[in-house]
Every structure is written in C-alpha cells, then in structure tokens.
Amino acid sequence: MSRVRWLAVVVLVCAGVFAWQGGAYSTADYVAVNRAERVAAARVQSLTREVDSLKRFRRLLETDPAAQERVAREQWGWVRPGEMSFIVVPGSVADSARAAGSR
C-alpha cells in the first residue's frame, strides 16, 4: 500500500476511535450514567416501598386499638393493671452468679 492509503487508514481509525470514545460524552460516560440511573431507580423503588409500608403502619396505628397497645407496650414498657414487667440486663448479678456456679 502506498503512503497515502496508510495515512487514510490511520485517519479513518482515528476518526472511528474518536466517534466511539470522544466528543462531549464518551461511551464510558454513557455506561456510568446508565449505571447511576439504574442505582437511582432501585433506590426510588426501595423508598417507595418503605413509604407505602409506613403509610400502612400509620393507618393501622390510627384505627387499630390492638396495634396501639402493642406499640405502647414495646416502646414505653406500659403494662396493664395487675401485670408485672421484668427487664433482663445482660451481665447482671444473677448472670454472674450462674456463670460462677457452672465453673
């Protein structure tokens, strides 16, 4: 091949590489943007499910006395009259005595 043909081939290859990777946004930028879009869409879907779940929970707390009582017992340790509440603390005196006796 002559020198002009080699130069034409080099110019065409360079133009192809520039078309593939060059310009304002390269192929790597396109792939990165697509990946970020998929991550954002997954996060939006996750947050949508969480919001829906919280809305259901809120509606339940507003209307269901059993759910209200359950939350009051779990969060604030409320008990009914006549009931007793026990709090187990890890590493307490009873746990230490039991561990010492098993040696």
Side-chain angles (χ1 to χ4, degrees), residues 25 62 88:
Y25 295 103
E62 289 174 345
V88 178

Side-chain angles (χ1 to χ4, degrees), residues 1-20:
M1 265 182 3
S2 70
R3 191 174 223 176
V4 173
R5 283 189 178 174
W6 275 109
L7 184 60
V9 169
V10 169
V11 168
L12 286 175
V13 168
C14 289
V17 169
F18 180 77
W20 182 254

Side-chain angles (χ1 to χ4, degrees), residues 29-76:
D29 291 336
Y30 176 75
V31 169
V33 167
N34 271 347
R35 185 177 307 121
E37 182 182 15
R38 285 193 307 271
V39 168
R43 181 74 176 134
V44 166
Q45 187 177 19
S46 171
L47 289 172
T48 301
R49 282 193 307 267
E50 187 176 346
V51 166
D52 291 342
S53 174
L54 290 172
K55 283 181 181 178
R56 281 192 304 274
F57 184 66
R58 176 182 172 207
R59 198 170 29 253
L60 190 66
L61 283 180
E62 289 174 345
T63 60
D64 187 12
Q68 294 166 355
E69 181 178 345
R70 180 178 51 84
V71 169
R73 287 173 173 267
E74 289 174 0
Q75 286 189 348
W76 295 298

